[in-house]
Amino acid sequence: MKKIFFTAMLSMLLAVPAAAQKKLGNETDKQKSERLAWWTHDRFGMFIHWGLYALPARHEWIRHNERISNEAYEKYFEQFNPDLYNPTEWAKKAKAAGMKYAVLTTKHHEGFCLFDSKYTDYKATRTAAGRDLVKEFVDAFRAEGLKVGFYYSLIDWHHPDFTIDIQHPLRPKDTAQYAALNKDRDFKVYQKYLQNQVQELLTNYGKIDVLWLDFSYPQTHGKSHEDWKSEELLAMVRKLQPGIIVNDRLNLEEYEDGQDFTTPEQYKVEKWPEKYGKKFAWETCQTFSGSWGYYRDEHTWKDTKQLLVLLIETVSKGGNLLLNVGPTARGDFDYRADNSLEHISEWMGHNSRSIYGCTQAPDEFQTPASSLLTYNPDTKRLYVHLVDYPMGQLVLPGYKDKVKYAQFLHDGSEIRFDDGEANGVNLRLPVNKPNYEIPVIEIILK
Ligand code: GLC
């Protein structure tokens, strides 16, 4: 009797779900995945870092790196004249490369606004450009059928009330000096400014699909969710644009819905990132070379294969890739960025079926040697990406009796197969590598 009682108690205890995660709203997991459906399907976007830092052309953190004052930085505002700016061209290049959305820096840490904000004169409208560059971006990208995202820097090194902190260009060597340096800065004024500008961005440009806020550093003499009033800010964002997808840099990790996705930056994740005890939506942001803003003399450009691996590997772990271009001061793309985009276009033109709508393959499918695997759960097709092209044959270990048909994706040509070792299937491949950087085999399952 006692034993039955204890067993019953125990099973009741086990059935109780783990303490519910703290939330700001009441959206269910299902509702969230429906809201994010286009984004998880599309997988590939373009990040665009463009601002006054394109003129010095030596990193968008130049003000921090070289401790440049507002006065000394003013010359770039005076010279800003992007006569070659043609966002339709940008959009066409993004589209050709297979990117389905784009996120533009409406304001970066330097504080300069590409949009016509009524709360500042530190904006494109007051330069030789003389117009709202964000509006043109939005119109051009929408016209090409791409979704539109705004990056907005929470940090602002130009605003007179943004307090000097550990990242600021005017940061002191001796921490005892912060108080004196900040005595005339009223951060409340900045808080309001920040809120007003986010409101403008989400009110004046129609539907905005993604909001990318950047970033928090809650250490001593840093900035946290309390400084940004993140809870309030996010509530406003969700109210103004109910469908919008928001990144994770507001320092609201305490809440499961304090962000829609996580943003591993400039590194590769080992596996699909987990948060709150489950696989979490993620997007890795990456540069072509070592800087986000246009950097003339930086030469560590990734090659085509590295870029394609970045994209494919990301999808193979259930994530998105946001790949950055830093346009020049005159407003167009550097030839190196153009080259990389063209190479990606060539590949995507015939292989994008292994990217869109795809994700990590179910556990029962092992990744064959030297390859990357993606899977489309709707069509139930597997994609084997041949990162190192094998010679003559490829073993799919454990795939026996699972494969109905196999073909190259780029030309739809049949790949014959027979039983192999280890319950596997032997794909009989041509010895010559097809003319694609990373050929893809499409496997139609039984
Ligand atoms: C960073 C940097 C930055 C860049 C961004 C992109 O945190 O501050 O310059 O805009 O992340 O992810």
Side-chain angles (χ1 to χ4, degrees), residues 157-177:
W157 295 329
H158 183 267
H159 197 287
D161 287 301
F162 186 89
T163 46
I164 293 167
D165 59 27
I166 44 170
Q167 313 283 9
H168 200 279
L170 305 182
R171 66 199 173 282
K173 296 234 159 67
D174 174 3
T175 56
Q177 293 169 4

Side-chain angles (χ1 to χ4, degrees), residues 47 49 59-61 105 108-109 151 212 214-215 249 265 285 292:
F47 217 170
H49 276 67
H59 209 282
E60 77 285 354
W61 273 66
T105 52
H108 202 264
H109 310 335
Y151 169 107
W212 232 95
D214 198 33
F215 64 83
R249 297 193 178 177
E265 174 179 331
C285 48
W292 299 89

Side-chain angles (χ1 to χ4, degrees), residues 16-30:
V16 174
Q21 189 61 45
K22 260 172 91 175
K23 279 194 168 191
L24 293 160
N26 51 16
E27 189 181 53
T28 63
D29 283 359
K30 184 161 173 282

Side-chain angles (χ1 to χ4, degrees), residues 11 14 29 65-66 110 136 179-180 198 201 211 219 320 350 393 401 420:
S11 59
L14 291 176
D29 283 359
N65 296 344
E66 301 178 19
E110 65 177 5
E136 290 180 15
V198 173
L201 286 168
L211 182 62
Q219 323 66 319
N320 283 25
H350 281 79
Q393 73 162 19
D401 299 327

